[in-house]
Amino acid sequence: MTENEEIKIDHLGDWKRTHDCGSLTVNDEGKESVLMGWVNSRRDLGNLIFIDLRDRDGITQIVFDPQVDGESHERAHALRNEWVIAVKGTVSPRLKGQENFSMPTGSIELKVTGLKILNRTETPPFQVDGAVDASETLRLKYRYLELRRPQVFSVFLKRHRISACIREFLNGKGFMEVETPFLTKSTPEGARDYLVPSRVNRGLFYALPQSPQLFKQLLMIGGFERYYQIVRCFRDEDLRADRQPEFTQVDLEMAFVNEDGVMEVFEEMMGKLFREIMDRAIPSPIKRMEFQEAMDRFGTDRPDMRFGMELIDLTDIALRSDFRVFKDVIEDGGVVKAITVKSGGAAFSRKNLDELSALAVEAGASGLAWIKVNEDGWQSSLKKFFKDEDKNGLNEKSGAGPGDLILIVAHKRRVANESLGMLRLEVARRMELIPVGAYEFVWITKFPLLEYDETEKRLQAVHHPFTAPVEEDIPLLDEQPEKVRARAYDLVLNGTEIGGGSIRIHVPAVQERMLSILGISPEQAQVKFGFLLEALKYGAPPHGGMALGFDRLVAIMAGVNSIREVIAFPKTTSATCLLTDAPSRVDETQLKELGLRTDS
Ligand code: ASP
């Protein structure tokens, strides 16, 4: 028998917890209290044994003193970290000088008069009370131990408070929570579906929803007018740090609204969330910017507005230079654009500039030109190609003075924008230009409705095929479909897209036309979306909505980097659950029932 097994485990019996471990203070002096929790740490001084008892609400120091209760003191020698105990005792002030004012219970201790050992533990694979020390693999395998850590728990408490606040707000605005099916038919949100084989209907499959998009539209046709759901969505994508195969959306839909109607609800909701959870006011209304402006000024459709360094168009000046590369690009319809890095001259060595150049090339640029503006003129390979007056003009247009660095890309407008947008972020990170603790929201509106997919050689919906085109652009649908703007909007916070939505097509003929532009034949449309096309015929109201990436929002509000940290049982980047070992093999009989065979 091990030492562990000799210990008698007590029943809880009729003991009742009176307080949590975070609440007792000097105001409770003399109270009889019953606390329950885990041994966070212990100091056995032989005569006195001190234990920090932890539950989800905090830590209280408890003292076993043979003078107070000999039996508990005797048994307390055996206690080890993470054992589960219940103690009865008297709240007493700590001795002068022994207080710990950094914790709410730091001025008292509980003098133990009774102990129950409720459970013991194997030696945990990592210390619960400690810095994040173990590898992520170990922490995910024993996720429940990690969840015991107060800093981890606090993230989930915040997540809960955020969802409660959202529910309270939406309930107050007349939204109804309605659940939609998980076993359903695939809706195109651009990812692969998770499929579920049907046993009853052999050979047929359900798809797990990538979002409740079509159901929420059907609820509008069903006359519900204001729907919401905090709902799980499933997308079988290659994972990155901020993606999970299943994730949560705050999904809503409204009838009889235009873009403003939906955006105003979200703005008000974000205002309440930031006020109540973060104790911060956010500007109202939130700035709005059209997609093309965002691309031109920030090189991305999710601009980080916490700092400037906007993209500058130098095409006109570059055209006056003798630099062939620039001129060729411009004659080919391209642009020459730049960002100015204030005080970047000294901050970026030649090696650093080579690194930036490599990143720009990775982002599609043909190369990166740079100018260090010095007191005595330019330091740059472009120097000899520009007339003095154009040098001055370029400096002025770039807002660059001595000590500053100008980074230039010449390419098609889209590539120039995107590569400089990426460099803007990289430079800001390297130079620590992003203010900590700032929250900058912006709406991006009027996205393109369609984009050409080079691999599939056909047009694709940028948002999804149910998004309405901007009315005045409809005549362009046939001739210049890529010019058509969508009634779509994204909410961006600190350079992260936290939500997006659109006004939907509610007229059947327009929806059918849209599907045909996307290369979906009437027969295919019938098979995939027949039910929606049918429903649209029966008095569909104008409607629109939006979905917010709940995990991402929580991660930002909790100040953590990855959405894995705000999901209780997350999956790895290879879509496995280290705790349960899912996905896993199933019995032959299960496969047989489903009429399936695996080839591995
Ligand atoms: N269903 C969309 C998405 O998941 C959001 C929306 O249009 O409401 O991206």
Side-chain angles (χ1 to χ4, degrees):
M1 246 206 288
T2 66
E3 183 196 347
N4 237 350
E5 281 164 305
E6 287 164 16
I7 305 293
K8 182 173 144 291
I9 298 295
D10 301 312
H11 292 294
L12 193 53
D14 59 0
W15 279 33
K16 215 169 141 202
R17 215 179 195 183
T18 59
H19 295 89
D20 62 60
C21 290
S23 59
L24 293 169
T25 67
V26 275
N27 299 332
D28 300 296
E29 185 181 340
K31 270 193 194 149
E32 291 303 310
S33 167
V34 177
L35 301 181
M36 300 183 191
W38 287 263
V39 174
N40 194 59
S41 61
R42 48 186 264 284
R43 272 177 301 139
D44 190 337
L45 307 180
N47 188 22
L48 292 180
I49 302 170
F50 290 94
I51 288 213
D52 275 349
L53 187 66
R54 184 193 71 239
D55 67 13
R56 62 172 221 185
D57 295 297
I59 286 184
T60 301
Q61 175 167 295
I62 60 177
V63 195
F64 294 89
D65 180 346
Q67 311 284 312
V68 179
D69 182 45
E71 191 193 336
S72 321
H73 177 264
E74 184 54 40
R75 292 187 75 207
H77 284 302
L79 298 179
R80 293 292 177 268
N81 286 0
E82 299 310 311
W83 283 29
V84 191
I85 61 172
V87 287
K88 265 187 190 158
T90 319
V91 181
S92 319
R94 290 194 197 178
L95 291 178
K96 283 269 160 295
Q98 311 260 313
E99 302 98 331
N100 177 352
F101 295 111
S102 67
M103 50 197 280
T105 63
S107 302
I108 58 101
E109 59 196 11
L110 194 77
K111 289 201 182 304
V112 177
T113 55
L115 165 70
K116 286 197 184 220
I117 298 177
L118 302 176
N119 219 340
R120 59 192 174 225
T121 172
E122 304 270 317
T123 307
F126 53 84
Q127 255 192 308
V128 170
D129 174 37
V132 179
D133 44 7
S135 68
E136 186 169 38
T137 312
L138 206 58
R139 287 187 284 119
L140 286 180
K141 182 166 164 60
Y142 296 95
R143 179 67 164 161
Y144 44 88
L145 293 180
E146 190 176 37
L147 295 178
R148 277 187 206 163
R149 290 180 159 163
Q151 70 275 26
V152 177
F153 174 76
S154 72
V155 168
F156 288 91
L157 186 59
K158 189 168 254 179
R159 183 179 173 115
H160 164 73
R161 288 178 54 219
I162 296 171
S163 65
C165 185
I166 289 174
R167 284 202 162 89
E168 184 188 284
F169 172 78
L170 291 174
N171 295 344
K173 291 276 171 197
F175 285 84
M176 275 166 68
E177 192 161 9
V178 184
E179 286 153 283
T180 49
F182 277 177
L183 292 178
T184 179
K185 208 167 162 133
S186 131
T187 325
E189 304 280 359
R192 220 174 276 118
D193 289 320
Y194 276 100
L195 298 176
V196 181
S198 164
R199 179 184 57 81
V200 184
N201 304 284
R202 273 216 183 182
L204 303 186
F205 291 82
Y206 303 96
L208 299 180
Q210 293 188 30
S211 88
Q213 183 60 37
L214 294 181
F215 285 106
K216 65 176 176 173
Q217 291 191 237
L218 293 174
L219 287 173
M220 295 306 106
I221 299 172
F224 278 31
E225 296 193 17
R226 290 184 167 214
Y227 139 94
Y228 83 98
Q229 193 178 183
I230 300 187
V231 62
R232 201 70 57 78
C233 302
F234 306 86
R235 297 184 190 178
D236 188 1
E237 303 180 281
D238 290 330
L239 303 183
R240 296 194 304 243
D242 60 346
R243 282 202 187 146
Q244 283 278 303
E246 47 180 314
F247 60 94
T248 304
Q249 283 188 344
V250 178
D251 190 43
L252 67 77
E253 195 76 7
M254 304 166 77
F256 307 113
V257 285
N258 55 22
E259 291 84 332
D260 286 345
V262 181
M263 289 157 91
E264 278 160 18
V265 166
F266 261 86
E267 286 197 20
E268 223 187 296
M269 185 171 91
M270 295 313 294
K272 177 180 160 84
L273 273 180
F274 271 69
R275 214 168 37 249
E276 293 186 10
I277 311 281
M278 312 284 284
D279 202 15
R280 263 170 191 275
I282 61 172
S284 169
I286 291 173
K287 277 189 218 105
R288 294 185 189 187
M289 200 184 291
E290 288 197 16
F291 167 84
Q292 197 51 54
E293 183 183 340
M295 293 305 294
D296 287 339
R297 287 176 54 194
F298 298 94
T300 171
D301 57 4
R302 22 175 222 286
D304 191 332
M305 309 284 286
R306 288 175 295 179
F307 62 98
M309 222 197 312
E310 293 188 21
L311 279 50
I312 305 145
D313 195 331
L314 300 176
T315 312
D316 51 350
I317 302 176
L319 193 57
R320 291 200 294 271
S321 75
D322 298 320
F323 191 45
R324 206 56 262 164
V325 176
F326 285 175
K327 293 175 89 113
D328 285 349
V329 166
I330 300 167
E331 276 155 24
D332 226 26
V335 295
V336 176
K337 293 189 75 167
I339 51 174
T340 298
V341 186
K342 285 278 165 205
S343 309
F348 287 86
S349 64
R350 201 165 263 273
K351 180 170 156 283
N352 299 147
L353 289 165
D354 287 345
E355 288 160 6
L356 293 184
S357 174
L359 288 174
V361 169
E362 232 172 83
S366 315
L368 180 69
W370 53 263
I371 301 165
K372 286 190 177 180
V373 181
N374 295 332
E375 289 289 358
D376 57 356
W378 284 7
Q379 177 192 339
S380 169
S381 57
L382 300 176
K383 194 170 171 172
K384 54 182 176 296
F385 299 110
F386 281 77
K387 293 184 216 51
D388 279 346
E389 67 195 73
D390 285 333
K391 284 185 188 145
N392 291 336
L394 192 148
N395 287 352
E396 201 173 311
K397 191 152 189 207
S398 311
D404 297 343
L405 168 71
I406 307 171
L407 302 174
I408 307 175
V409 173
H411 212 288
K412 290 204 182 69
R413 179 198 276 247
R414 182 173 179 159
V415 175
N417 282 345
E418 287 178 0
S419 52
L420 282 168
M422 182 277 303
L423 287 180
R424 174 179 174 266
L425 289 178
E426 179 66 23
V427 166
R429 265 193 295 272
R430 290 191 186 199
M431 293 195 65
E432 297 179 7
L433 299 180
I434 305 176
V436 182
Y439 295 91
E440 288 290 340
F441 286 91
V442 61
W443 285 107
I444 306 299
T445 63
K446 304 220 168 92
F447 282 79
L449 183 73
L450 301 156
E451 70 190 341
Y452 191 72
D453 185 324
E454 293 291 348
T455 32
E456 298 219 358
K457 301 269 176 272
R458 64 178 181 88
L459 288 167
Q460 283 215 321
V462 170
H463 188 45
H464 51 54
F466 317 106
T467 296
V470 168
E471 209 70 33
E472 68 198 63
D473 293 352
I474 291 183
L476 301 174
L477 263 175
D478 291 321
E479 299 299 318
Q480 295 174 290
E482 282 164 90
K483 286 242 160 77
V484 178
R485 290 166 300 165
R487 296 182 69 183
Y489 32 80
D490 273 1
L491 184 58
V492 173
L493 169 57
N494 291 354
T496 299
E497 180 215 319
I498 58 166
S502 60
I503 298 301
R504 325 296 183 189
I505 298 169
H506 72 285
V507 178
V510 181
Q511 185 63 73
E512 278 163 22
R513 186 156 168 224
M514 179 72 182
L515 293 175
S516 104
I517 289 172
L518 294 173
I520 302 175
S521 69
E523 296 73 37
Q524 284 170 321
Q526 210 46 48
V527 174
K528 287 189 167 173
F529 315 115
F531 63 100
L532 176 76
L533 297 175
E534 178 78 0
L536 288 174
K537 293 181 192 155
Y538 296 100
H543 61 285
M546 178 159 168
L548 187 96
F550 186 60
D551 308 292
R552 247 179 238 181
L553 177 71
V554 175
I556 293 174
M557 291 178 82
V560 298
N561 287 329
S562 156
I563 65 166
R564 282 210 292 277
E565 296 184 51
V566 304
I567 294 174
F569 300 105
K571 299 207 169 40
T572 63
T573 37
S574 44
T576 58
C577 169
L578 297 177
L579 175 68
T580 61
D581 265 343
S584 55
R585 293 197 175 277
V586 295
D587 288 345
E588 265 313 303
T589 42
Q590 284 177 292
L591 286 179
K592 264 211 187 106
E593 277 180 335
L594 296 167
L596 294 179
R597 254 198 318 267
T598 57
D599 61 5
S600 53

